[in-house]
Amino acid sequence: MVDETNVEGDKFGTIDADDIPYTVGYIKGKFTEAEDGRRESEIRWQKAYKNYRGVLDGTTAYTATEKSKVFVKITKVKVLAAYGQIIDILFSNKKFPLVVESTPVPEGIAEFAHLSQNPMDQQQEEEPNAFLAGLEEKYGQAPSLKEGPSSMGEPQISPSRESARKLEKVIHDQLVNTEAVKILRHAIFECCLLGCGIIKGPFSTFKEIQAWQVNQEGTRNYAPYQKNVPLISAVSCWDFYPDPAATSVEDCDYVIERHKMNREQLRSLRKKPHFDLEAIDRCLEMGPNYIERGYESSIRDEDDFDTAHKSRYEVLEYWGYLDKHLAEQLGLEIPEEQDNLDSLHTNIWICGNNILRAVVNPFTPARIPYQSVPYEINPYNFFGIGVAENMEDAQMLMNGHMRMAIDNLVLAGNMVFDIDETSLVPGQSMEIYPGKIFRRQSGVTGTAVNAVKFPSTANENIQMYQVSRQLADEETGIPSIIHGQTGVTGTGRTAAGLSMLMSSAGLSIKTAIKNIDDYLLKPMGEGYFQWNMQFNEEHPDILGDLEIKPKGTAAVMQKEIRSQRLLTLLQT
């Protein structure tokens, strides 16, 4: 997805042609380093994706006698079950699972305020508090609010909580206006399938607000207007290249996002702020430069992949540190507070050997604007572990035993004939059909043509298939009853037993939800908070030491309590 960045930053300076190759080479070197560092992860993703799609690749070994190539897509069922559960828990309520609260001891804003009855307090207060003045208008009082708790029995309010509630309302409105839930669904799906989901932003963008105005004649005229809003986007794991030495976004020295653009998408960058128009024109004149990666031919469903990418452009978006002398060569205006640093946090876009955009990181405080959430944490790797990888062996066993059962049934379900040709008249056809007559020469009746039936081992293979399926349930922590298994026996026959099974099944989902809370919702909420503090001019009165709290885990508890109450009602 094309970056919708529209934030204030240092404008692109005058670049000497001799300085460009060195900077471009530096970024391309970092890209090659990151690409080599995630090679093993790409192999894991390809296996997970093929198991999800039910595609057999060249790594699957077959014996010379195997005929069946059946693939039982249980991986797809498990991935969709995990994805559906997470989506149902997070977004089943009308309210987005994110709240804003004031800290126990707020900084920069009063924890309590009360209605002062002493007129001398107003005269002593030289600099009135702007936020308190806004609260006075809300409560319809004269300018008489004073910081601090009230006396016993007198009314008081909490300005810090009022500020937190206002910011929460603003963030929820921004999330709804930019369809954030739809974007998060894409990241959560990749989180379940590949083990890692990536969200980018928030960035500033201008959204057209549909509005109508009534003129003096009483007729309505369409009068839309532009509004600056924060926007997030989902980034595929295949297009995200982090620092190979890092295990989290906070630990990254740099990250690179790889864009695959057509001609119109590249041309649309001219409308974005701080892009070099001449560099974009040079790229368009030179033609497409997209380089196919090794994994793409195995995961894309394009009929003619060899020619499909030849009309595309490869654009690299770099977020990370750059040496100060390189930044000066690029013509970047270094802020005074960063003038004494050896390196600067920058954002640079390149296409081929051309620098399309180069700015100092516009966010305050400087941060890499990406959030990465693992389904299951891998403590020694940036990318996590997904559902498909957890049940890779079980999927292989299920496929193997099902193929063996089918190949055996082909033999056991057909008759094989043993024919003694010396007892038959020569020249006869050996074709078998109802009413067939074999002419004999001599010998005992019935000994010339004999039917041979092979024993069936399908039952044993089906039993091993069921064992492999139960193994998949244990490896993923998602029992088959979650995604509609029928004929449940044993513990699941009673309401109490079913409740116990459902509670056990929720443990793995709780872990995934907790990861989404810690690694996605909370950093994203903090990003929205910092964006509003820096760029939102409509609400300058939002102040204070505020804390973003995700509520995904709380949604799990609410759903469990609701289920327990329903089961209690059924038992009653």
Side-chain angles (χ1 to χ4, degrees), residues 392-428:
E392 180 180 339
D393 292 336
Q395 180 67 70
M396 181 180 63
L397 289 174
M398 283 186 282
N399 291 340
H401 287 293
M402 187 57 68
R403 290 198 298 266
M404 289 175 64
I406 293 175
D407 288 342
N408 175 256
L409 286 173
V410 172
L411 289 176
N414 290 276
M415 197 67 69
V416 179
F417 293 92
D418 177 17
I419 298 178
D420 184 5
E421 294 185 356
T422 60
S423 301
L424 300 179
V425 176
Q428 296 187 67

Side-chain angles (χ1 to χ4, degrees), residues 59-78:
T59 61
T60 305
Y62 298 99
T63 62
T65 57
E66 279 190 280
K67 303 297 182 183
S68 174
K69 302 295 189 294
V70 67
F71 199 110
V72 187
K73 293 195 286 186
I74 303 299
T75 298
K76 180 178 182 179
V77 176
K78 297 292 185 185

Side-chain angles (χ1 to χ4, degrees), residues 14 46 113-114 122 169 199 274 278 290 295 302 318 321 341 388 400 411 465 474 480 490 504 508 534 540:
T14 302
Q46 291 182 62
H114 64 279
Q122 303 173 21
K169 186 176 181 180
I199 288 291
H274 312 318
E278 295 181 359
Y290 188 77
Y295 62 84
E302 298 169 353
Y318 174 86
Y321 288 97
L341 300 179
L411 289 176
Y465 166 81
E474 295 179 4
S480 298
S504 301
S508 61
Q534 186 175 1

Side-chain angles (χ1 to χ4, degrees), residues 351-416:
C351 179
N353 291 328
N354 296 284
I355 297 181
L356 307 183
R357 181 179 191 261
V359 298
V360 175
N361 192 315
F363 298 107
T364 305
R367 65 184 185 277
I368 295 177
Y370 292 87
Q371 295 91 42
S372 170
V373 52
Y375 180 85
E376 180 182 319
I377 296 176
N378 185 351
Y380 311 112
N381 192 287
F382 184 93
F383 301 101
I385 302 170
V387 176
E389 182 180 349
N390 282 334
M391 60 171 294
E392 180 180 339
D393 292 336
Q395 180 67 70
M396 181 180 63
L397 289 174
M398 283 186 282
N399 291 340
H401 287 293
M402 187 57 68
R403 290 198 298 266
M404 289 175 64
I406 293 175
D407 288 342
N408 175 256
L409 286 173
V410 172
L411 289 176
N414 290 276
M415 197 67 69
V416 179

Side-chain angles (χ1 to χ4, degrees), residues 154-190:
E154 295 182 356
Q156 69 178 14
I157 61 173
S158 175
S160 59
R161 293 180 184 176
E162 291 282 348
S163 179
R165 279 195 292 266
K166 188 168 186 178
L167 177 61
E168 179 182 327
K169 186 176 181 180
V170 169
I171 290 178
H172 283 198
D173 180 68
Q174 293 168 346
L175 291 168
V176 171
N177 289 337
T178 55
E179 297 182 342
V181 173
K182 178 181 177 181
I183 297 170
L184 287 174
R185 286 197 184 107
H186 181 277
I188 293 174
F189 175 77
E190 278 206 343

